[in-house]
Amino acid sequence: IPAIAAKCKPGELVLDLCAAPGSKSSQIANDTNDGVALTCVENNTARLYALKENLVQQNIHNYQLLRADAAQ
């Protein structure tokens, strides 16, 4: 639901905090044909790797991953 409510459009910059396992990011990327620039933030290293794997499996390319605390 968050990805639908955001109504992202190609060309936009999108920040996904607490991004793992990647459902929001994947849905936004797929809905825009990988046309948004995703920045995915996750604090947990293991979950960050799972997020990356999910994005790779879905052939999503326009993203960057940050290991950081979203509260900061």
Side-chain angles (χ1 to χ4, degrees), residues 6-52:
K7 298 179 183 176
C8 298
K9 303 206 180 346
E12 292 184 325
L13 305 175
V14 177
L15 177 64
D16 185 358
L17 302 174
C18 305
S23 300
K24 295 182 302 289
S25 294
S26 296
Q27 185 174 1
I28 290 168
N30 286 319
D31 288 350
T32 61
N33 294 315
D34 204 18
V36 297
L38 285 168
T39 299
C40 305
V41 179
E42 177 59 48
N43 192 39
N44 181 292
T45 302
R47 290 177 56 84
L48 188 69
Y49 286 119
L51 167 62
K52 182 177 182 182

